[in-house]
Amino acid sequence: MTQPAAVTDSRLNDSAGVISLDNLSVSFGGRPILKSLNSELRGRAIGLLGPNGAGKTTLIHTLLGFHPPSSGTARIFGSDIRADANQIKRLIGYMPERDSFITKMSGIHFVRFMAELSGLPPARALERAHESLFFVGLGEARYRNVDTFSLGMKQLAKLAQAIVHGPKLIFLDEPTNGLDPPARQRMIKMIREIRDSGQANIVLSSHLLRDVEECCEEIVILKEGRLVVYCNLEEERKANKKFLMLETRGELQTFVQGVSRMGAECAVTSDHRLRIILQDGNEIRDLYRLAADSQVQIRRLAYKRDSLEDIFLKAMENQNVSEAAPVLMK
Amino acid sequence: MAVLERSYKRYEGALSPEWSRFLIIPRHAVRNIFRSKLFTGFYALSFVWPLVCAILIYLHHNAEALSIMKLNVLDVLPIDASFFQAFVAVQATVGFFLAMLVGPQQVSRDLTNNGLPLYLCRPFSRSEYVVGKMSIVIILLSTITWVPGLILFLLQSYLEGWAWFSDNLPIASAIFLGSLVWILLLAFATIVNQMIETHWGNLISLNALIQNVWAGLFGTFVRQVGQVTEMRRGVVVREALLTEPPLWASWFMLFLICAFCLWLLSRKVKAYEVVK
């Protein structure tokens, strides 16, 4: 006797955000690890960034129901992680950061076993196990014992078990750890394929900015258990916000005042460096003219865009984490 | 997600019933267990004693065979409660070693290879995991304890007649319950504690506990009374009368041990353990 998968999804609200954090706090032995996280994440691929110990993995584990929240709650597809844990788990795939295996099993046996535990009937589980192992590129090695897999192959096997039951939301915890450059590229390509298929949302936790930048549309930066930055990379890219980075010599005060009079936004980042956002109607030649009038030499002028690295470093520089509200960047 | 298309697709098909999911664990585990030649050999050997018992029952009812072997029916073991208790005791001992071969590695492998998060991130609860792992030992031990025990009981009933069956029905329930209690204990705790050689100390010895419970079930439990005399230089300085604990105390301790094992499992079976 089997039950249709659709019935089990009925309580989940598709119109709701993928993940909603509502004052979520987690403490271990009285020590706060996650502190009042609030956010609404809707992207197809959400990046979780932060230095080691920021609480990325704890957040994922809490969403998976491994740790109970000490206060507040979170919702996945509109369902509460505590009240509807079982409903949520049906739609989730998880690729852990650490090596996680059931030993003495071949690749196909391992992935099939995982599919059956997710509720797939044995025949469909075997079929999907073959498909997912081919999808991740372990088709030829699927009858080999998992214990004999290389580190890269183990990462792929972990991905295969996370997607074998066709989840709606996939948590990937440091998926490119220990991979060589070609293997990393393959992993990123697969994550993007899953994202672009539109069949699943992805939460990617990593401290490798490039991985997140290549895969994710939304990013959340955690620092010391607090959410310090929320940024929609997709909208940032669409807005194509560019600024000018100037390296100068000479007295800047008059020049800065002149730039402000032009209507452009100007910020002095160090003794000789300026960031300027020109408004419509402003020309670069106006800047040169103003520099000449103010007796300022422009040694270097370049268009720049806030990279993820800039956003991340800025977030890390902010020392007053306990006081700060998350910076929204759109 | 087809093998040739190699694209990601969600699964929209039917799901297996939730109540039966714990059985996935023994189904996959048993396949792996029987790959071990050592285990398979030992498992085959565990059927030797049931076979010997079956032969004894057969001989008891075959005068021709007894005359060929020049044996008197009185020389052959009587087929009664003691006979079946001995059968259960031998098979339980064999079962203990079988459980030692199979039991501990089931959970320890998952713990050492961080396998628990893979189970618990799915719609699969911690209790289902524990029940699934325990059912590996329960199923395997059942096949060598109460299942052959009841077959022997039915064989004896067939050869002896309906009257013997109805008169000795409690033996059948004793075979089943006695084996099951032992199997559950082994499934919970695979390490036997040290035996303490005192009457009340028996309450913390698994071996003594189960012996008392079996004796109770087979109706052969006799409460022992012993006298301890302490002498110094040939003079009696103290005499104490030690009475063995009553039968209910053994049952109660078994219950406590099982409850403790359950508590330990609920503490330890977690996807990730938070360490201070």
Side-chain angles (χ1 to χ4, degrees):
Chain A
M1 203 174 74
T2 53
Q3 57 195 75
V7 172
T8 60
D9 297 3
S10 61
R11 291 177 68 185
L12 298 160
N13 185 358
D14 276 349
S15 63
V18 180
I19 297 170
S20 313
L21 306 175
D22 185 8
N23 245 354
L24 181 74
S25 300
V26 174
S27 300
F28 293 154
R31 185 178 160 229
I33 306 295
L34 297 178
K35 301 162 189 166
S36 300
L37 303 186
N38 282 296
S39 193
E40 175 88 15
L41 307 170
R42 291 178 171 272
R44 283 183 305 166
I46 300 155
L48 268 182
L49 278 173
N52 292 336
K56 304 183 295 291
T57 302
T58 306
L59 175 58
I60 291 182
H61 288 176
T62 308
L63 293 173
L64 287 166
F66 296 163
H67 306 310
S70 49
S71 68
T73 190
R75 276 179 291 278
I76 294 179
F77 298 118
S79 297
D80 191 272
I81 56 166
R82 279 199 274 206
D84 304 314
N86 236 20
Q87 261 73 31
I88 291 171
K89 281 182 179 180
R90 287 193 185 113
L91 302 180
I92 282 179
Y94 171 51
M95 176 182 176
E97 178 188 5
R98 285 191 280 173
D99 261 6
S100 299
F101 293 101
I102 316 295
T103 51
K104 310 271 179 194
M105 279 189 182
S106 64
I108 187 75
H109 189 182
F110 166 61
V111 179
R112 178 200 176 173
F113 181 50
M114 290 293 120
E116 284 190 46
L117 288 179
S118 299
L120 272 68
R124 289 293 287 136
L126 181 61
E127 199 181 318
R128 296 266 317 179
H130 281 288
E131 288 170 357
S132 58
L133 282 166
F134 269 99
F135 176 72
V136 300
L138 284 180
E140 301 300 320
R142 66 193 192 279
Y143 291 109
R144 262 176 62 184
N145 200 317
V146 180
D147 305 310
T148 66
F149 279 6
S150 68
L151 186 60
M153 290 164 87
K154 280 181 178 173
Q155 289 289 83
L156 294 172
K158 278 197 289 177
L159 178 65
Q161 66 78 29
I163 61 170
V164 66
H165 52 295
K168 203 175 169 187
L169 175 63
I170 307 167
F171 287 99
L172 304 172
D173 199 354
E174 310 278 2
T176 55
N177 261 8
L179 297 184
D180 59 20
R184 181 192 156 274
Q185 274 306 324
R186 275 202 303 277
M187 178 66 80
I188 295 290
K189 190 170 161 261
M190 273 183 290
I191 295 170
R192 288 163 72 164
E193 271 177 34
I194 295 171
R195 181 196 69 186
D196 295 337
S197 71
Q199 306 256 338
N201 295 79
I202 291 169
V203 174
L204 173 67
S205 163
S206 180
H207 52 253
L208 299 174
L209 303 178
R210 228 175 110 195
D211 291 355
V212 174
E213 200 162 22
E214 284 179 41
C215 299
C216 299
E217 298 163 343
E218 263 183 324
I219 61 153
V220 167
I221 300 180
L222 293 174
K223 186 186 176 187
E224 293 167 20
R226 284 187 187 275
L227 199 154
V228 286
V229 168
Y230 165 81
C231 173
N232 192 322
L233 285 179
E234 196 63 16
E235 283 182 21
E236 184 95 341
R237 283 179 197 130
K238 275 182 197 161
N240 200 24
K241 254 193 211 162
K242 286 194 288 191
F243 59 85
L244 286 166
M245 186 61 101
L246 267 68
E247 207 177 304
T248 60
R249 286 290 180 276
E251 181 52 52
L252 282 175
Q253 201 178 353
T254 330
F255 180 68
V256 170
Q257 284 168 356
V259 172
S260 301
R261 273 199 301 277
M262 279 166 61
E265 286 175 41
C266 179
V268 181
T269 55
S270 64
D271 283 352
H272 303 291
R273 283 169 191 258
L274 289 131
R275 278 170 59 142
I276 297 171
I277 300 171
L278 294 177
Q279 302 300 318
D280 290 343
N282 294 152
E283 298 283 342
I284 289 181
R285 73 168 78 101
D286 298 335
L287 284 180
Y288 278 108
R289 201 173 296 132
L290 190 64
D293 294 346
S294 318
Q295 293 186 325
V296 167
Q297 290 176 11
I298 296 179
R299 295 269 178 99
R300 199 168 162 184
L301 184 148
Y303 271 114
K304 275 199 107 179
R305 181 184 289 166
D306 255 350
S307 66
L308 185 55
E309 196 176 344
D310 295 322
I311 297 167
F312 184 76
L313 289 174
K314 250 188 272 172
M316 291 305 108
E317 277 164 15
N318 181 9
Q319 291 303 310
N320 301 321
V321 175
S322 56
E323 300 298 322
V327 178
L328 296 176
M329 305 184 83
K330 279 196 176 180
Chain B
M1 198 160 52
V3 171
L4 294 173
E5 287 172 11
R6 297 191 190 179
S7 59
Y8 180 79
K9 270 207 186 97
R10 281 196 64 205
Y11 177 72
E12 305 282 358
L15 296 173
S16 58
E18 275 179 41
W19 65 265
S20 68
R21 293 216 185 126
F22 76 92
L23 288 169
I24 296 165
I25 292 181
R27 189 152 50 79
H28 284 264
V30 165
R31 207 168 79 172
N32 276 346
I33 287 166
F34 279 100
R35 279 195 190 138
S36 158
K37 284 175 189 160
L38 173 74
F39 177 83
T40 312
F42 194 77
Y43 185 73
L45 279 178
S46 65
F47 288 101
V48 170
W49 180 238
L51 201 68
V52 169
C53 289
I55 292 167
L56 284 173
I57 291 172
Y58 176 74
L59 282 177
H60 225 274
H61 299 90
N62 195 320
E64 203 176 316
L66 284 174
S67 65
I68 291 168
M69 296 169 78
K70 292 175 184 167
L71 282 172
N72 189 330
V73 73
L74 296 172
D75 296 337
V76 185
L77 278 173
I79 312 299
D80 54 9
S82 305
F83 174 85
F84 284 103
Q85 187 180 348
F87 167 81
V88 170
V90 172
Q91 287 306 95
T93 311
V94 175
F96 170 76
F97 291 108
L98 213 66
M100 287 294 117
L101 279 174
V102 177
Q105 59 180 342
Q106 295 303 322
V107 178
S108 66
R109 276 185 189 163
D110 287 344
L111 288 174
T112 50
N113 295 292
N114 299 313
L116 279 172
L118 299 178
Y119 289 94
L120 302 179
C121 71
R122 298 181 146 76
F124 197 75
S125 67
R126 294 195 300 158
S127 1
E128 279 173 312
Y129 174 81
V130 171
V131 171
K133 290 291 180 185
M134 277 175 61
S135 59
I136 300 169
V137 178
I138 292 171
I139 292 167
L140 280 173
L141 295 199
S142 293
T143 60
I144 63 158
T145 52
W146 62 268
V147 173
L150 288 183
I151 292 171
L152 289 179
F153 178 81
L154 289 175
L155 175 70
Q156 166 68 9
S157 307
Y158 171 73
L159 296 172
E160 194 74 42
W162 173 250
W164 189 93
F165 175 82
S166 52
D167 290 347
N168 294 285
L169 211 51
I171 291 179
S173 62
I175 291 170
F176 177 71
L177 277 174
S179 303
L180 206 65
V181 169
W182 180 235
I183 289 169
L184 281 174
L185 259 180
L186 283 180
F188 271 127
T190 45
I191 298 166
V192 178
N193 57 347
Q194 292 276 319
M195 202 168 116
I196 298 174
E197 295 290 339
T198 64
H199 280 122
W200 286 90
N202 283 349
L203 287 181
I204 51 171
S205 158
L206 277 183
N207 188 42
L209 279 178
I210 200 68
Q211 290 289 350
N212 286 345
V213 166
W214 284 337
L217 286 168
F218 282 95
T220 54
F221 178 78
V222 181
R223 210 168 163 199
Q224 307 274 326
V225 178
Q227 190 164 334
V228 175
T229 310
E230 195 181 332
M231 295 179 78
R232 278 185 205 148
R233 292 176 194 160
V235 183
V236 176
V237 290
R238 196 174 60 164
E239 277 189 329
L241 200 65
L242 292 177
T243 313
E244 201 175 59
L247 184 60
W248 66 263
S250 297
W251 276 104
F252 181 68
M253 278 308 290
L254 282 182
F255 170 76
L256 275 188
I257 290 168
C258 290
F260 174 74
C261 292
L262 267 177
W263 173 79
L264 209 62
L265 283 165
S266 73
R267 295 260 312 179
K268 288 289 169 189
V269 178
K270 286 180 180 168
Y272 289 103
E273 195 172 1
V274 177
V275 284
K276 283 182 185 170

